[in-house]
Amino acid sequence: MSEFHSKIRTIQWTDNCSRMVDQTLFPYEYKYVDIKSGDEMFAAIRNMIVRGAPAIGIAGAHGIVLYAIEIAKQISNRDEFISTLLEKADYMKTSRPTAVNLMWAVEKQKEIIKNSSSGISGIVEELKQNGIKLENEDIEINKKIGDYGAEVVPKGATILTHCNAGALATVGYGTALGVVRSAYAKDNTIQVFADETRPRQQGARITTLELTMDGIPTTLITDGMCSYFMKKGMIDMVVVGADRIASNGDAANKIGTYTVAIAAKYHNIPFYVAAPLSTIDTNIETGDEIVIEERSREEVTHINGKIICAPEVNIINPGFDVTPHELIAGIITEKGILRPDYKDSIKALGI
């Protein structure tokens, strides 16, 4: 299969800091920022300078390295260094509670902290190398997801996506948009319809930006338009990402995804979730157990710093919803496409 070469690298460890694209500045500016401390990384994750489950996971891994570098300058006792660093690692996991990739990557770093036989400087170096390893693996995993997903994309298909599960949600290729990139590499008649994704407009600000940067034909629609275009026969399939997938296949993704899945089911349009195996949380049975992050009221009340509603109105702002497994045609992973019954297909992977 032809390989698609994206121009985008979202996050990279370099010169003892984590360099990432500041996604709060889109679409007005494409700028890299250097995150130089653990607390800066916590804020970068929390404030969505970096976002997207796989990218958040890598950011978390880098954040543990940054904390380790800081603590090593303050504490010379190895046991005290380890206990302090483990506390900071657990703190890092609280920056975004829904994205399981963050918990996964931090736990990978914690395993090194607990099991290393090295001194303090050796532990710091091991954490750094593991962060770089996870970073590079993410790109390869996403390319595998893309290639498996491309197999189910019809020739000339129009693919609807919601939020941003692209290069800018990962290290550099994408999950849902990795499927798009791999499909486009073998068929340049593929095109994308992107939901704007209220309230933070990741589809409008980020998906349209990265796809146009990579030359893939893209049409932006508002969140309420998907069923209209489905009824008109203009959507062939839906591919979205996920922040956490339960053992039964229920999938948490950006708020509004559930609505798209219902519309797709009604119109007999296949709805796929594309995500690495690290997004599957086998510790939970169903999506009812997924913690849904509540975000600030200002994300809803304001656009570009200007209020758009009555100032006193009540606001509820969940960051995610959960799509029931019954609405999902397949979960596209780096090991292939999982099909119902998801309990069995996930269990068969041995994760």
Side-chain angles (χ1 to χ4, degrees), residues 40-315:
E40 282 184 16
M41 183 62 81
F42 185 98
I45 295 171
R46 180 66 189 162
N47 298 328
M48 296 177 72
I49 289 173
V50 60
R51 32 72 48 206
I56 289 171
I58 302 306
H62 287 185
I64 306 309
V65 181
L66 293 169
Y67 272 133
I69 292 170
E70 295 168 55
I71 296 167
K73 293 176 182 176
Q74 302 161 2
I75 296 174
S76 57
N77 180 278
R78 185 180 184 276
D79 290 342
E80 188 181 351
F81 167 82
I82 288 173
S83 64
T84 303
L85 184 54
L86 288 173
E87 287 177 9
K88 288 294 188 182
D90 287 336
Y91 172 67
M92 184 65 74
K93 290 195 290 188
T94 67
S95 55
R96 294 290 303 276
T98 302
V100 74
N101 303 66
L102 174 61
M103 323 307 168
W104 172 83
V106 170
E107 286 300 322
K108 289 290 185 184
Q109 294 290 58
K110 284 177 67 177
E111 287 173 17
I112 287 175
I113 298 166
K114 292 175 181 177
N115 298 327
S116 176
S117 58
S118 302
I120 290 176
S121 61
I123 294 173
V124 173
E125 184 61 27
E126 287 176 39
L127 290 169
K128 186 186 300 182
Q129 293 306 318
N130 192 51
I132 293 169
K133 175 175 170 281
L134 294 175
E135 180 186 318
N136 292 330
E137 285 176 352
D138 182 76
I139 295 175
E140 294 310 309
I141 286 169
N142 290 341
K143 286 180 178 178
K144 289 177 182 176
I145 290 170
D147 289 347
Y148 279 118
E151 295 174 4
V152 295
V153 177
K155 184 171 177 57
T158 296
I159 304 170
L160 176 72
T161 191
H162 186 77
C163 193
N164 174 263
L168 288 164
T170 63
V171 172
Y173 195 75
T175 53
L177 296 191
V179 173
V180 170
R181 286 184 168 90
S182 293
Y184 187 79
K186 65 175 185 176
D187 175 13
N188 64 8
T189 64
I190 297 292
Q191 63 172 318
V192 173
F193 271 39
D195 283 344
E196 63 181 350
T197 323
R198 279 283 286 152
R200 289 187 65 100
Q201 293 94 25
Q202 293 97 326
R205 293 188 304 109
I206 305 175
T207 295
T208 64
L209 175 71
E210 70 167 79
L211 290 179
T212 54
M213 281 178 66
D214 277 346
I216 297 173
T218 306
T219 300
L220 176 65
I221 63 174
T222 69
D223 286 7
M225 292 179 181
C226 71
S227 55
Y228 171 84
F229 289 110
M230 288 176 180
K231 185 176 182 180
K232 289 180 72 69
M234 296 174 67
I235 306 295
D236 297 297
M237 65 186 298
V238 180
V239 186
V240 300
D243 287 77
R244 187 175 298 213
I245 299 170
S247 296
N248 69 341
D250 293 349
N253 194 50
K254 188 54 57 186
I255 191 74
T257 304
Y258 182 19
T259 306
V260 175
I262 292 170
K265 187 73 171 180
Y266 181 82
H267 292 95
N268 295 313
I269 294 168
F271 178 98
Y272 288 93
V273 172
L277 295 180
S278 58
T279 303
I280 300 174
D281 187 351
T282 54
N283 294 314
I284 59 173
E285 291 295 321
T286 75
D288 293 337
E289 299 174 63
I290 297 174
V291 176
I292 300 298
E293 177 184 357
E294 290 282 340
R295 296 191 58 82
S296 72
R297 73 187 311 276
E298 286 75 22
E299 289 185 347
V300 178
T301 59
H302 288 67
I303 293 180
N304 293 336
K306 294 185 177 181
I307 194 163
I308 60 167
C309 59
E312 301 84 8
V313 70
N314 184 50
I315 299 294

